[in-house]
Amino acid sequence: MSNDQSPPLRVMALHALAYCERLFYLEEVEELYVADDRVYAGRELLESLGAGRTSLDGDPDEPGQPMSLDLSCPTLGLVGRVDVLKRRNGQLTPYEHKRGRARRGAGGEPLAWESDALQAAAYALMVEEAYGVAVPEARVRYHRDRVTVRVAIDQAMRRKVVDAIERARNLRDRLERPPVTSNENLCRRCSLAPVCLPEESRRALDEGYVPKRLFPEKDSRTTLHVVSAASRVGRDAECLVITTSDGEKIRRPSGEIGAVVLHGMAQISTQALRLCADRDIAVHWVTQTGRHIGSLTTTAGQVQRRIRQYNALYGQTGDATRLRLAKALVTARIEGQRRYILRVTRQRDAARKCVEPALREIGRAAQQAGSAKSIDELRGYEGVAARAYWSVFNDLLSETVPEELRFAGRTRRPATDRLSAALNFGYGLLKTAVMRAVLSSGLEPAIGFYHTPRSAAHPLVLDLMEPFRLLLWDIPLIGALNRGQFDPSADFTTTKGAVWLSDQGRRKAIGLFEARLQEVWKHPVVGYSLSYARTIELEARLLEKEWSGEPGLFARLRLR
Ligand code: SF4
């Protein structure tokens, strides 16, 4: 039955398979796991049973502790852990414990769900092989109902287990992800819904479909910025401890943190890094001017996703796919700029008159971008729109903004004016946020579709930043400048050839950016509201769908 070449299957994987083939694939092939409240509650339930874990040497007859058992079955090619194994009336019986309710039959009688029955039956067959005895039944305990359901290990059930193993092996060898289940109720209870995005997949296949939100509105974890050069991040048990330059210690539980951003020369200990790696906390290093240097995340294992990405962007039809995606991206950016200029100058006749020529140029560029025949041509239209946008940037600022903070030409690294320094710093923050979304979506940042591959930058991150530059930095920065929040002296450090944000200026910019990330808006395509931080992640996952059989939703977000 088992093929010696292929690794054993986890019995839990058969449970996932019976629940939804896509769930099986995401967990077993793409190695995606989301430990949500339900998963933690399941673990707690098992701990509360007090089942002592043991090997085959343990005796299920032994009085006292119930016994959970690690099993390996070479004949079936399965491994797994029985929740509890009991001997009753001379028969060995494996028990599965579930937090939820039992299925109900036509007469209201409790029955095991198909996935639970399959899992319990697989354990029964493994116990048979391990102990060399017949196991005529397994049982599933449903704790919410407080009922125990019997699962007969008859020929039909044995066949089901064998067929499921074969199906699982076939799926494991495939590169294509199975489609979403047709049973929407399963998705509502599925821990992988936020990464599978079943509702968005249904929307991609049917323009008229209105997705329900299974994607969390906000990330409950925050980003910890360590700005001052003398600050140090250490570890104390499950907390990160930030020691500031004046010796103050700030403790933050690791469960509250999604990312750590170390600015300039801020330090982090090996122990803290280890905690971050264990708790799925991304660590990013950026320079004082906001340039992203590198990131540490634990994304090993999502090989299939990367192979699909590479095949899609650089395989047989790669040229066409790259152009299609780049057109969507550039159109989104240009259209956003046009709408923003219109919005800001709506009530200001004089300003509107000034920006009219630029608006016409941007509108024309948006149209031409939509029908560009090559990426180079597209870059030309994007450049035209960008020049027009920057040419009216000062018209978007209030008259009270001091001259030193107004637009005087775009300079990058080093910035030679204050506005460019603030823009560069904010785009650097955006880059770390996009990098985090790209990596957590299992995408390869080095394989992009619009920006030219360079060793110093990640093309896919630069690509995905495009529609967010305006939404997440230009707009909040313009708002802050108009409100007089930036001080041209205290918030900037200037030398002869360069300008950058001072410590105080960086703190302001970080506060502004993080507040913007937490703002909630209604996504125009999926139709539900979510924070901008979540929107970046959603777009990264929608991008991945572009080459995973559910295309059409990426880069359709627009400023209203
Ligand atoms: S969200 Fe739905 S389609 Fe996706 S894995 Fe879960 S059950 Fe399957």
Side-chain angles (χ1 to χ4, degrees), residues 298-319:
T298 48
T299 56
Q302 299 175 357
V303 180
Q304 256 73 3
R305 292 189 158 220
R306 292 178 185 211
I307 294 173
R308 264 203 305 268
Q309 179 184 350
Y310 182 79
N311 285 346
L313 297 179
Y314 287 91
Q316 266 188 346
T317 55
D319 288 351

Side-chain angles (χ1 to χ4, degrees), residues 19-24 26 178-199 202 214:
Y19 190 83
C20 166
E21 289 199 348
R22 185 166 164 117
L23 176 64
F24 167 85
L26 290 175
V180 296
T181 173
S182 54
N183 183 350
E184 294 169 25
N185 289 331
L186 294 179
C187 301
R188 264 181 236 133
R189 298 195 301 268
C190 178
S191 64
L192 282 196
V195 294
C196 168
L197 300 183
E199 287 290 290
R202 292 176 187 117
L214 301 179

Side-chain angles (χ1 to χ4, degrees), residues 54 56-67 85-93 131:
T54 187
L56 273 183
D57 299 335
D59 183 356
D61 291 331
E62 218 171 76
Q65 287 275 85
M67 188 179 96
L85 183 62
K86 286 185 187 170
R87 192 187 291 276
R88 279 181 190 278
N89 306 325
Q91 298 282 358
L92 282 177
T93 307
Y131 285 91

Side-chain angles (χ1 to χ4, degrees), residues 509-526:
I510 290 166
L512 204 58
F513 182 73
E514 289 297 327
R516 183 65 168 175
L517 280 180
Q518 296 315 316
E519 266 179 48
V520 170
W521 77 313
K522 190 168 175 187
H523 193 289
V525 181
V526 295

Side-chain angles (χ1 to χ4, degrees), residues 342-361:
L342 280 171
R343 183 208 275 186
V344 172
T345 57
R346 192 176 297 142
Q347 311 282 345
R348 298 161 54 195
D349 289 347
R352 172 60 67 86
K353 213 161 169 206
C354 289
V355 302
E356 275 303 348
L359 277 173
R360 274 197 297 277
E361 206 151 354

Side-chain angles (χ1 to χ4, degrees), residues 190 305 500 534 536:
C190 178
R305 292 189 158 220
W500 61 92
R534 279 283 175 187
I536 301 176

